[in-house]
Amino acid sequence: MTVDIVTIFPAMIAQPLAAGIVGRAIERGTLDVKVHDLRDFTTDRHRVVDDVPYGGGPGMVLKPDPIFRALDAIAAERGAPLTVIMTSPQGRRFTQAEAERLAGLEHLVLLCGRYEGFDERVRERVTEELSIGDYVLTGGELPALVVLDAVARFVPGVVGDEQSVAQDTFSRGLLNHPQYTRPPEIEVRRVRGVLEVLEVLKVPEVLTSGNHAEIRRWRKREALSRTLERRPDLLDAASLDEEEEQLLRELKGASHERD
Ligand code: SAH
């Protein structure tokens, strides 16, 4: 998969892309990411990328012409991209399902805004506008990294174990079950009133039982109860198997009894 990112702060993008799973995928060539400095597509001596808004008002607006030139250069170098994504708080909400869909594309361009955002005419060249959440950031660099990171996990060969992606929170419409690793017990200090006591935190016995059927059932139950408690809205769209439907009915029954 090929991704081009257009920004006025290339350094802000380059460093995070060098680390971890995404960094390795780029090194191996599974992902081909190129960061373009928008200032390289200006024609004036001062490499100006912004200007005052027509009609007045606070802040500056990103000029359209450097962005059009950047997109032309990307098209000339890499072939016309099918998808040009504008990061914007006004866009459609980016989700795990969107990430999976975008991972099926061969070539993506991500535009990072700054200041008050883009000149409206840039939207002529944009196929989608994506928001990473209902808050306003100072620039599109973090959103572009968020989108790239979430998309990359769905590109075959990026995450070592593809099963792990399929089991992740959101992938099936459920939150992930809790996870434990060694050691089996740890001691923590707790303050109880005026006393300091040592408490032993244990790994749930079922996980060390070796009974795989029981473990699977426990994980399903935990994932369901967590989702029911924290994100009941997800359950409407979740795809549950018969065992999960049954567990969910039990959990709902139990919570009714408590009420
Ligand atoms: N004045 C604009 C906000 C500009 S924020 C408005 O009210 O719509 C500056 C830039 O940061 C945007 O162009 C966009 O690239 C990025 N940005 C800010 N918040 C974002 C969000 N929630 N999702 C995606 N991009 C965001």
Side-chain angles (χ1 to χ4, degrees), residues 87-90 111-118 130-140 143:
T87 56
S88 155
Q90 301 180 25
L111 298 178
C112 308
R114 279 274 153 183
Y115 318 115
E116 294 302 317
F118 302 89
L130 290 180
S131 163
I132 63 161
D134 290 347
Y135 38 80
V136 178
L137 300 164
T138 54

mmCIF file with all atom_site columns, all heavy atoms in Angstrom, residues 87-90 111-118 130-140 143, ligand 1:
data_model
loop_
_atom_site.group_PDB
_atom_site.id
_atom_site.type_symbol
_atom_site.label_atom_id
_atom_site.label_alt_id
_atom_site.label_comp_id
_atom_site.label_asym_id
_atom_site.label_entity_id
_atom_site.label_seq_id
_atom_site.pdbx_PDB_ins_code
_atom_site.Cartn_x
_atom_site.Cartn_y
_atom_site.Cartn_z
_atom_site.occupancy
_atom_site.B_iso_or_equiv
_atom_site.pdbx_formal_charge
_atom_site.auth_seq_id
_atom_site.auth_comp_id
_atom_site.auth_asym_id
_atom_site.auth_atom_id
_atom_site.pdbx_PDB_model_num
ATOM   1   N N   . THR A 1 87  ? -8.077  15.690 6.176  1.00 0.00 ? 87  THR A N   1
ATOM   2   C CA  . THR A 1 87  ? -8.353  15.611 7.609  1.00 0.00 ? 87  THR A CA  1
ATOM   3   C C   . THR A 1 87  ? -9.097  16.874 7.998  1.00 0.00 ? 87  THR A C   1
ATOM   4   O O   . THR A 1 87  ? -8.714  17.972 7.608  1.00 0.00 ? 87  THR A O   1
ATOM   5   C CB  . THR A 1 87  ? -7.049  15.505 8.419  1.00 0.00 ? 87  THR A CB  1
ATOM   6   O OG1 . THR A 1 87  ? -6.211  16.616 8.092  1.00 0.00 ? 87  THR A OG1 1
ATOM   7   C CG2 . THR A 1 87  ? -6.313  14.211 8.119  1.00 0.00 ? 87  THR A CG2 1
ATOM   8   N N   . SER A 1 88  ? -10.187 16.711 8.726  1.00 0.00 ? 88  SER A N   1
ATOM   9   C CA  . SER A 1 88  ? -11.015 17.866 9.055  1.00 0.00 ? 88  SER A CA  1
ATOM   10  C C   . SER A 1 88  ? -11.992 17.521 10.173 1.00 0.00 ? 88  SER A C   1
ATOM   11  O O   . SER A 1 88  ? -12.599 16.447 10.155 1.00 0.00 ? 88  SER A O   1
ATOM   12  C CB  . SER A 1 88  ? -11.799 18.270 7.796  1.00 0.00 ? 88  SER A CB  1
ATOM   13  O OG  . SER A 1 88  ? -12.983 18.945 8.152  1.00 0.00 ? 88  SER A OG  1
ATOM   14  N N   . PRO A 1 89  ? -12.162 18.417 11.152 1.00 0.00 ? 89  PRO A N   1
ATOM   15  C CA  . PRO A 1 89  ? -13.151 18.125 12.199 1.00 0.00 ? 89  PRO A CA  1
ATOM   16  C C   . PRO A 1 89  ? -14.574 18.096 11.643 1.00 0.00 ? 89  PRO A C   1
ATOM   17  O O   . PRO A 1 89  ? -15.495 17.642 12.317 1.00 0.00 ? 89  PRO A O   1
ATOM   18  C CB  . PRO A 1 89  ? -12.958 19.268 13.207 1.00 0.00 ? 89  PRO A CB  1
ATOM   19  C CG  . PRO A 1 89  ? -12.277 20.352 12.464 1.00 0.00 ? 89  PRO A CG  1
ATOM   20  C CD  . PRO A 1 89  ? -11.489 19.707 11.363 1.00 0.00 ? 89  PRO A CD  1
ATOM   21  N N   . GLN A 1 90  ? -14.747 18.566 10.394 1.00 0.00 ? 90  GLN A N   1
ATOM   22  C CA  . GLN A 1 90  ? -16.084 18.564 9.791  1.00 0.00 ? 90  GLN A CA  1
ATOM   23  C C   . GLN A 1 90  ? -16.367 17.289 8.998  1.00 0.00 ? 90  GLN A C   1
ATOM   24  O O   . GLN A 1 90  ? -17.428 17.140 8.399  1.00 0.00 ? 90  GLN A O   1
ATOM   25  C CB  . GLN A 1 90  ? -16.238 19.769 8.855  1.00 0.00 ? 90  GLN A CB  1
ATOM   26  C CG  . GLN A 1 90  ? -16.040 21.086 9.579  1.00 0.00 ? 90  GLN A CG  1
ATOM   27  C CD  . GLN A 1 90  ? -16.202 22.284 8.651  1.00 0.00 ? 90  GLN A CD  1
ATOM   28  O OE1 . GLN A 1 90  ? -16.874 22.198 7.635  1.00 0.00 ? 90  GLN A OE1 1
ATOM   29  N NE2 . GLN A 1 90  ? -15.583 23.391 9.010  1.00 0.00 ? 90  GLN A NE2 1
ATOM   30  N N   . LEU A 1 111 ? -4.170  14.730 3.443  1.00 0.00 ? 111 LEU A N   1
ATOM   31  C CA  . LEU A 1 111 ? -3.847  16.162 3.498  1.00 0.00 ? 111 LEU A CA  1
ATOM   32  C C   . LEU A 1 111 ? -3.974  16.653 4.934  1.00 0.00 ? 111 LEU A C   1
ATOM   33  O O   . LEU A 1 111 ? -5.015  16.480 5.573  1.00 0.00 ? 111 LEU A O   1
ATOM   34  C CB  . LEU A 1 111 ? -4.817  16.961 2.615  1.00 0.00 ? 111 LEU A CB  1
ATOM   35  C CG  . LEU A 1 111 ? -4.824  16.654 1.122  1.00 0.00 ? 111 LEU A CG  1
ATOM   36  C CD1 . LEU A 1 111 ? -5.886  17.510 0.418  1.00 0.00 ? 111 LEU A CD1 1
ATOM   37  C CD2 . LEU A 1 111 ? -3.445  16.895 0.502  1.00 0.00 ? 111 LEU A CD2 1
ATOM   38  N N   . CYS A 1 112 ? -2.895  17.270 5.441  1.00 0.00 ? 112 CYS A N   1
ATOM   39  C CA  . CYS A 1 112 ? -2.909  17.800 6.808  1.00 0.00 ? 112 CYS A CA  1
ATOM   40  C C   . CYS A 1 112 ? -3.161  19.293 6.775  1.00 0.00 ? 112 CYS A C   1
ATOM   41  O O   . CYS A 1 112 ? -2.366  20.044 6.207  1.00 0.00 ? 112 CYS A O   1
ATOM   42  C CB  . CYS A 1 112 ? -1.568  17.557 7.490  1.00 0.00 ? 112 CYS A CB  1
ATOM   43  S SG  . CYS A 1 112 ? -1.016  15.844 7.415  1.00 0.00 ? 112 CYS A SG  1
ATOM   44  N N   . GLY A 1 113 ? -4.247  19.727 7.374  1.00 0.00 ? 113 GLY A N   1
ATOM   45  C CA  . GLY A 1 113 ? -4.547  21.156 7.448  1.00 0.00 ? 113 GLY A CA  1
ATOM   46  C C   . GLY A 1 113 ? -3.809  21.823 8.601  1.00 0.00 ? 113 GLY A C   1
ATOM   47  O O   . GLY A 1 113 ? -3.230  21.150 9.462  1.00 0.00 ? 113 GLY A O   1
ATOM   48  N N   . ARG A 1 114 ? -3.841  23.117 8.587  1.00 0.00 ? 114 ARG A N   1
ATOM   49  C CA  . ARG A 1 114 ? -3.304  23.947 9.690  1.00 0.00 ? 114 ARG A CA  1
ATOM   50  C C   . ARG A 1 114 ? -4.131  25.211 9.743  1.00 0.00 ? 114 ARG A C   1
ATOM   51  O O   . ARG A 1 114 ? -4.949  25.461 8.862  1.00 0.00 ? 114 ARG A O   1
ATOM   52  C CB  . ARG A 1 114 ? -1.836  24.309 9.434  1.00 0.00 ? 114 ARG A CB  1
ATOM   53  C CG  . ARG A 1 114 ? -0.877  23.203 9.823  1.00 0.00 ? 114 ARG A CG  1
ATOM   54  C CD  . ARG A 1 114 ? -0.514  23.295 11.300 1.00 0.00 ? 114 ARG A CD  1
ATOM   55  N NE  . ARG A 1 114 ? -0.158  22.004 11.866 1.00 0.00 ? 114 ARG A NE  1
ATOM   56  C CZ  . ARG A 1 114 ? 0.143   21.819 13.145 1.00 0.00 ? 114 ARG A CZ  1
ATOM   57  N NH1 . ARG A 1 114 ? 0.146   22.838 13.986 1.00 0.00 ? 114 ARG A NH1 1
ATOM   58  N NH2 . ARG A 1 114 ? 0.415   20.628 13.604 1.00 0.00 ? 114 ARG A NH2 1
ATOM   59  N N   . TYR A 1 115 ? -3.872  26.048 10.720 1.00 0.00 ? 115 TYR A N   1
ATOM   60  C CA  . TYR A 1 115 ? -4.570  27.343 10.859 1.00 0.00 ? 115 TYR A CA  1
ATOM   61  C C   . TYR A 1 115 ? -6.085  27.129 10.893 1.00 0.00 ? 115 TYR A C   1
ATOM   62  O O   . TYR A 1 115 ? -6.565  26.256 11.593 1.00 0.00 ? 115 TYR A O   1
ATOM   63  C CB  . TYR A 1 115 ? -4.155  28.304 9.736  1.00 0.00 ? 115 TYR A CB  1
ATOM   64  C CG  . TYR A 1 115 ? -2.684  28.276 9.434  1.00 0.00 ? 115 TYR A CG  1
ATOM   65  C CD1 . TYR A 1 115 ? -2.182  27.830 8.208  1.00 0.00 ? 115 TYR A CD1 1
ATOM   66  C CD2 . TYR A 1 115 ? -1.755  28.686 10.414 1.00 0.00 ? 115 TYR A CD2 1
ATOM   67  C CE1 . TYR A 1 115 ? -0.820  27.800 7.953  1.00 0.00 ? 115 TYR A CE1 1
ATOM   68  C CE2 . TYR A 1 115 ? -0.388  28.646 10.160 1.00 0.00 ? 115 TYR A CE2 1
ATOM   69  C CZ  . TYR A 1 115 ? 0.065   28.199 8.930  1.00 0.00 ? 115 TYR A CZ  1
ATOM   70  O OH  . TYR A 1 115 ? 1.393   28.150 8.680  1.00 0.00 ? 115 TYR A OH  1
ATOM   71  N N   . GLU A 1 116 ? -6.831  27.885 10.064 1.00 0.00 ? 116 GLU A N   1
ATOM   72  C CA  . GLU A 1 116 ? -8.291  27.730 10.040 1.00 0.00 ? 116 GLU A CA  1
ATOM   73  C C   . GLU A 1 116 ? -8.727  26.645 9.056  1.00 0.00 ? 116 GLU A C   1
ATOM   74  O O   . GLU A 1 116 ? -9.915  26.463 8.798  1.00 0.00 ? 116 GLU A O   1
ATOM   75  C CB  . GLU A 1 116 ? -8.964  29.057 9.653  1.00 0.00 ? 116 GLU A CB  1
ATOM   76  C CG  . GLU A 1 116 ? -8.788  30.164 10.676 1.00 0.00 ? 116 GLU A CG  1
ATOM   77  C CD  . GLU A 1 116 ? -9.327  29.792 12.055 1.00 0.00 ? 116 GLU A CD  1
ATOM   78  O OE1 . GLU A 1 116 ? -10.427 29.211 12.127 1.00 0.00 ? 116 GLU A OE1 1
ATOM   79  O OE2 . GLU A 1 116 ? -8.640  30.078 13.046 1.00 0.00 ? 116 GLU A OE2 1
ATOM   80  N N   . GLY A 1 117 ? -7.769  25.957 8.493  1.00 0.00 ? 117 GLY A N   1
ATOM   81  C CA  . GLY A 1 117 ? -8.095  24.883 7.553  1.00 0.00 ? 117 GLY A CA  1
ATOM   82  C C   . GLY A 1 117 ? -7.813  25.285 6.115  1.00 0.00 ? 117 GLY A C   1
ATOM   83  O O   . GLY A 1 117 ? -7.044  26.215 5.849  1.00 0.00 ? 117 GLY A O   1
ATOM   84  N N   . PHE A 1 118 ? -8.449  24.570 5.177  1.00 0.00 ? 118 PHE A N   1
ATOM   85  C CA  . PHE A 1 118 ? -8.170  24.703 3.744  1.00 0.00 ? 118 PHE A CA  1
ATOM   86  C C   . PHE A 1 118 ? -9.106  25.709 3.070  1.00 0.00 ? 118 PHE A C   1
ATOM   87  O O   . PHE A 1 118 ? -10.254 25.859 3.463  1.00 0.00 ? 118 PHE A O   1
ATOM   88  C CB  . PHE A 1 118 ? -8.381  23.358 3.050  1.00 0.00 ? 118 PHE A CB  1
ATOM   89  C CG  . PHE A 1 118 ? -7.542  22.244 3.594  1.00 0.00 ? 118 PHE A CG  1
ATOM   90  C CD1 . PHE A 1 118 ? -7.997  21.461 4.649  1.00 0.00 ? 118 PHE A CD1 1
ATOM   91  C CD2 . PHE A 1 118 ? -6.286  21.973 3.054  1.00 0.00 ? 118 PHE A CD2 1
ATOM   92  C CE1 . PHE A 1 118 ? -7.215  20.418 5.148  1.00 0.00 ? 118 PHE A CE1 1
ATOM   93  C CE2 . PHE A 1 118 ? -5.505  20.934 3.551  1.00 0.00 ? 118 PHE A CE2 1
ATOM   94  C CZ  . PHE A 1 118 ? -5.977  20.164 4.599  1.00 0.00 ? 118 PHE A CZ  1
ATOM   95  N N   . LEU A 1 130 ? -12.281 13.208 6.537  1.00 0.00 ? 130 LEU A N   1
ATOM   96  C CA  . LEU A 1 130 ? -12.393 12.377 7.736  1.00 0.00 ? 130 LEU A CA  1
ATOM   97  C C   . LEU A 1 130 ? -12.024 13.147 8.984  1.00 0.00 ? 130 LEU A C   1
ATOM   98  O O   . LEU A 1 130 ? -11.054 13.903 9.004  1.00 0.00 ? 130 LEU A O   1
ATOM   99  C CB  . LEU A 1 130 ? -11.476 11.150 7.623  1.00 0.00 ? 130 LEU A CB  1
ATOM   100 C CG  . LEU A 1 130 ? -11.857 10.082 6.611  1.00 0.00 ? 130 LEU A CG  1
ATOM   101 C CD1 . LEU A 1 130 ? -10.835 8.944  6.648  1.00 0.00 ? 130 LEU A CD1 1
ATOM   102 C CD2 . LEU A 1 130 ? -13.256 9.535  6.877  1.00 0.00 ? 130 LEU A CD2 1
ATOM   103 N N   . SER A 1 131 ? -12.811 12.910 10.038 1.00 0.00 ? 131 SER A N   1
ATOM   104 C CA  . SER A 1 131 ? -12.535 13.487 11.351 1.00 0.00 ? 131 SER A CA  1
ATOM   105 C C   . SER A 1 131 ? -12.188 12.358 12.298 1.00 0.00 ? 131 SER A C   1
ATOM   106 O O   . SER A 1 131 ? -12.803 11.296 12.256 1.00 0.00 ? 131 SER A O   1
ATOM   107 C CB  . SER A 1 131 ? -13.775 14.217 11.864 1.00 0.00 ? 131 SER A CB  1
ATOM   108 O OG  . SER A 1 131 ? -13.664 14.435 13.260 1.00 0.00 ? 131 SER A OG  1
ATOM   109 N N   . ILE A 1 132 ? -11.204 12.571 13.177 1.00 0.00 ? 132 ILE A N   1
ATOM   110 C CA  . ILE A 1 132 ? -10.873 11.507 14.137 1.00 0.00 ? 132 ILE A CA  1
ATOM   111 C C   . ILE A 1 132 ? -11.653 11.664 15.437 1.00 0.00 ? 132 ILE A C   1
ATOM   112 O O   . ILE A 1 132 ? -11.491 10.871 16.358 1.00 0.00 ? 132 ILE A O   1
ATOM   113 C CB  . ILE A 1 132 ? -9.356  11.384 14.404 1.00 0.00 ? 132 ILE A CB  1
ATOM   114 C CG1 . ILE A 1 132 ? -8.792  12.652 15.049 1.00 0.00 ? 132 ILE A CG1 1
ATOM   115 C CG2 . ILE A 1 132 ? -8.611  11.048 13.129 1.00 0.00 ? 132 ILE A CG2 1
ATOM   116 C CD1 . ILE A 1 132 ? -7.444  12.405 15.730 1.00 0.00 ? 132 ILE A CD1 1
ATOM   117 N N   . GLY A 1 133 ? -12.506 12.654 15.544 1.00 0.00 ? 133 GLY A N   1
ATOM   118 C CA  . GLY A 1 133 ? -13.307 12.798 16.761 1.00 0.00 ? 133 GLY A CA  1
ATOM   119 C C   . GLY A 1 133 ? -13.813 14.210 16.916 1.00 0.00 ? 133 GLY A C   1
ATOM   120 O O   . GLY A 1 133 ? -13.359 15.118 16.220 1.00 0.00 ? 133 GLY A O   1
ATOM   121 N N   . ASP A 1 134 ? -14.763 14.383 17.818 1.00 0.00 ? 134 ASP A N   1
ATOM   122 C CA  . ASP A 1 134 ? -15.403 15.690 17.980 1.00 0.00 ? 134 ASP A CA  1
ATOM   123 C C   . ASP A 1 134 ? -14.611 16.618 18.893 1.00 0.00 ? 134 ASP A C   1
ATOM   124 O O   . ASP A 1 134 ? -15.024 16.905 20.029 1.00 0.00 ? 134 ASP A O   1
ATOM   125 C CB  . ASP A 1 134 ? -16.834 15.511 18.503 1.00 0.00 ? 134 ASP A CB  1
ATOM   126 C CG  . ASP A 1 134 ? -17.740 14.912 17.454 1.00 0.00 ? 134 ASP A CG  1
ATOM   127 O OD1 . ASP A 1 134 ? -17.326 14.878 16.273 1.00 0.00 ? 134 ASP A OD1 1
ATOM   128 O OD2 . ASP A 1 134 ? -18.846 14.477 17.808 1.00 0.00 ? 134 ASP A OD2 1
ATOM   129 N N   . TYR A 1 135 ? -13.464 17.033 18.410 1.00 0.00 ? 135 TYR A N   1
ATOM   130 C CA  . TYR A 1 135 ? -12.635 18.030 19.084 1.00 0.00 ? 135 TYR A CA  1
ATOM   131 C C   . TYR A 1 135 ? -11.785 18.661 17.993 1.00 0.00 ? 135 TYR A C   1
ATOM   132 O O   . TYR A 1 135 ? -11.646 18.084 16.912 1.00 0.00 ? 135 TYR A O   1
ATOM   133 C CB  . TYR A 1 135 ? -11.745 17.393 20.158 1.00 0.00 ? 135 TYR A CB  1
ATOM   134 C CG  . TYR A 1 135 ? -11.208 16.047 19.748 1.00 0.00 ? 135 TYR A CG  1
ATOM   135 C CD1 . TYR A 1 135 ? -10.114 15.952 18.891 1.00 0.00 ? 135 TYR A CD1 1
ATOM   136 C CD2 . TYR A 1 135 ? -11.821 14.870 20.175 1.00 0.00 ? 135 TYR A CD2 1
ATOM   137 C CE1 . TYR A 1 135 ? -9.642  14.720 18.484 1.00 0.00 ? 135 TYR A CE1 1
ATOM   138 C CE2 . TYR A 1 135 ? -11.346 13.639 19.768 1.00 0.00 ? 135 TYR A CE2 1
ATOM   139 C CZ  . TYR A 1 135 ? -10.262 13.571 18.928 1.00 0.00 ? 135 TYR A CZ  1
ATOM   140 O OH  . TYR A 1 135 ? -9.808  12.344 18.517 1.00 0.00 ? 135 TYR A OH  1
ATOM   141 N N   . VAL A 1 136 ? -11.248 19.835 18.262 1.00 0.00 ? 136 VAL A N   1
ATOM   142 C CA  . VAL A 1 136 ? -10.470 20.525 17.228 1.00 0.00 ? 136 VAL A CA  1
ATOM   143 C C   . VAL A 1 136 ? -8.999  20.546 17.621 1.00 0.00 ? 136 VAL A C   1
ATOM   144 O O   . VAL A 1 136 ? -8.644  20.945 18.729 1.00 0.00 ? 136 VAL A O   1
ATOM   145 C CB  . VAL A 1 136 ? -10.994 21.961 17.006 1.00 0.00 ? 136 VAL A CB  1
ATOM   146 C CG1 . VAL A 1 136 ? -10.145 22.678 15.956 1.00 0.00 ? 136 VAL A CG1 1
ATOM   147 C CG2 . VAL A 1 136 ? -12.451 21.924 16.562 1.00 0.00 ? 136 VAL A CG2 1
ATOM   148 N N   . LEU A 1 137 ? -8.149  20.065 16.725 1.00 0.00 ? 137 LEU A N   1
ATOM   149 C CA  . LEU A 1 137 ? -6.702  20.051 16.933 1.00 0.00 ? 137 LEU A CA  1
ATOM   150 C C   . LEU A 1 137 ? -6.076  21.219 16.184 1.00 0.00 ? 137 LEU A C   1
ATOM   151 O O   . LEU A 1 137 ? -6.730  21.852 15.363 1.00 0.00 ? 137 LEU A O   1
ATOM   152 C CB  . LEU A 1 137 ? -6.132  18.735 16.424 1.00 0.00 ? 137 LEU A CB  1
ATOM   153 C CG  . LEU A 1 137 ? -6.685  17.485 17.114 1.00 0.00 ? 137 LEU A CG  1
ATOM   154 C CD1 . LEU A 1 137 ? -6.378  16.242 16.300 1.00 0.00 ? 137 LEU A CD1 1
ATOM   155 C CD2 . LEU A 1 137 ? -6.124  17.360 18.509 1.00 0.00 ? 137 LEU A CD2 1
ATOM   156 N N   . THR A 1 138 ? -4.798  21.471 16.450 1.00 0.00 ? 138 THR A N   1
ATOM   157 C CA  . THR A 1 138 ? -4.132  22.584 15.772 1.00 0.00 ? 138 THR A CA  1
ATOM   158 C C   . THR A 1 138 ? -3.709  22.218 14.353 1.00 0.00 ? 138 THR A C   1
ATOM   159 O O   . THR A 1 138 ? -3.381  23.082 13.555 1.00 0.00 ? 138 THR A O   1
ATOM   160 C CB  . THR A 1 138 ? -2.881  23.042 16.544 1.00 0.00 ? 138 THR A CB  1
ATOM   161 O OG1 . THR A 1 138 ? -2.038  21.902 16.750 1.00 0.00 ? 138 THR A OG1 1
ATOM   162 C CG2 . THR A 1 138 ? -3.268  23.646 17.884 1.00 0.00 ? 138 THR A CG2 1
ATOM   163 N N   . GLY A 1 139 ? -3.693  20.915 14.039 1.00 0.00 ? 139 GLY A N   1
ATOM   164 C CA  . GLY A 1 139 ? -3.273  20.528 12.696 1.00 0.00 ? 139 GLY A CA  1
ATOM   165 C C   . GLY A 1 139 ? -3.667  19.112 12.351 1.00 0.00 ? 139 GLY A C   1
ATOM   166 O O   . GLY A 1 139 ? -4.084  18.340 13.217 1.00 0.00 ? 139 GLY A O   1
ATOM   167 N N   . GLY A 1 140 ? -3.538  18.757 11.079 1.00 0.00 ? 140 GLY A N   1
ATOM   168 C CA  . GLY A 1 140 ? -3.950  17.446 10.598 1.00 0.00 ? 140 GLY A CA  1
ATOM   169 C C   . GLY A 1 140 ? -2.873  16.369 10.697 1.00 0.00 ? 140 GLY A C   1
ATOM   170 O O   . GLY A 1 140 ? -3.096  15.246 10.262 1.00 0.00 ? 140 GLY A O   1
ATOM   171 N N   . PRO A 1 143 ? -4.052  13.586 13.237 1.00 0.00 ? 143 PRO A N   1
ATOM   172 C CA  . PRO A 1 143 ? -5.092  12.792 12.574 1.00 0.00 ? 143 PRO A CA  1
ATOM   173 C C   . PRO A 1 143 ? -4.546  11.912 11.436 1.00 0.00 ? 143 PRO A C   1
ATOM   174 O O   . PRO A 1 143 ? -4.938  10.753 11.311 1.00 0.00 ? 143 PRO A O   1
ATOM   175 C CB  . PRO A 1 143 ? -6.069  13.853 12.037 1.00 0.00 ? 143 PRO A CB  1
ATOM   176 C CG  . PRO A 1 143 ? -5.933  14.985 12.991 1.00 0.00 ? 143 PRO A CG  1
ATOM   177 C CD  . PRO A 1 143 ? -4.471  14.993 13.388 1.00 0.00 ? 143 PRO A CD  1
HETATM 178 N N1  . SAH B 2 .   ? -11.501 26.148 11.548 1.00 0.00 ? 1   SAH B N1  1
HETATM 179 C C1  . SAH B 2 .   ? -11.640 24.753 11.249 1.00 0.00 ? 1   SAH B C1  1
HETATM 180 C C2  . SAH B 2 .   ? -10.719 23.909 12.101 1.00 0.00 ? 1   SAH B C2  1
HETATM 181 C C3  . SAH B 2 .   ? -9.314  23.984 11.659 1.00 0.00 ? 1   SAH B C3  1
HETATM 182 S S1  . SAH B 2 .   ? -8.277  23.002 12.648 1.00 0.00 ? 1   SAH B S1  1
HETATM 183 C C4  . SAH B 2 .   ? -13.087 24.339 11.522 1.00 0.00 ? 1   SAH B C4  1
HETATM 184 O O1  . SAH B 2 .   ? -13.705 24.930 12.395 1.00 0.00 ? 1   SAH B O1  1
HETATM 185 O O2  . SAH B 2 .   ? -13.552 23.396 10.884 1.00 0.00 ? 1   SAH B O2  1
HETATM 186 C C5  . SAH B 2 .   ? -6.842  22.891 11.642 1.00 0.00 ? 1   SAH B C5  1
HETATM 187 C C6  . SAH B 2 .   ? -6.628  21.578 10.946 1.00 0.00 ? 1   SAH B C6  1
HETATM 188 O O3  . SAH B 2 .   ? -6.449  20.555 11.903 1.00 0.00 ? 1   SAH B O3  1
HETATM 189 C C7  . SAH B 2 .   ? -7.747  21.092 10.064 1.00 0.00 ? 1   SAH B C7  1
HETATM 190 O O4  . SAH B 2 .   ? -7.643  21.655 8.768  1.00 0.00 ? 1   SAH B O4  1
HETATM 191 C C8  . SAH B 2 .   ? -7.542  19.602 10.038 1.00 0.00 ? 1   SAH B C8  1
HETATM 192 O O5  . SAH B 2 .   ? -6.563  19.234 9.102  1.00 0.00 ? 1   SAH B O5  1
HETATM 193 C C9  . SAH B 2 .   ? -6.964  19.337 11.420 1.00 0.00 ? 1   SAH B C9  1
HETATM 194 N N2  . SAH B 2 .   ? -7.955  18.857 12.405 1.00 0.00 ? 1   SAH B N2  1
HETATM 195 C C10 . SAH B 2 .   ? -8.348  19.487 13.531 1.00 0.00 ? 1   SAH B C10 1
HETATM 196 N N3  . SAH B 2 .   ? -9.228  18.762 14.230 1.00 0.00 ? 1   SAH B N3  1
HETATM 197 C C11 . SAH B 2 .   ? -9.407  17.610 13.548 1.00 0.00 ? 1   SAH B C11 1
HETATM 198 C C12 . SAH B 2 .   ? -10.188 16.424 13.766 1.00 0.00 ? 1   SAH B C12 1
HETATM 199 N N4  . SAH B 2 .   ? -10.986 16.301 14.813 1.00 0.00 ? 1   SAH B N4  1
HETATM 200 N N5  . SAH B 2 .   ? -10.110 15.446 12.841 1.00 0.00 ? 1   SAH B N5  1
HETATM 201 C C13 . SAH B 2 .   ? -9.318  15.564 11.754 1.00 0.00 ? 1   SAH B C13 1
HETATM 202 N N6  . SAH B 2 .   ? -8.563  16.653 11.495 1.00 0.00 ? 1   SAH B N6  1
HETATM 203 C C14 . SAH B 2 .   ? -8.579  17.659 12.377 1.00 0.00 ? 1   SAH B C14 1
#
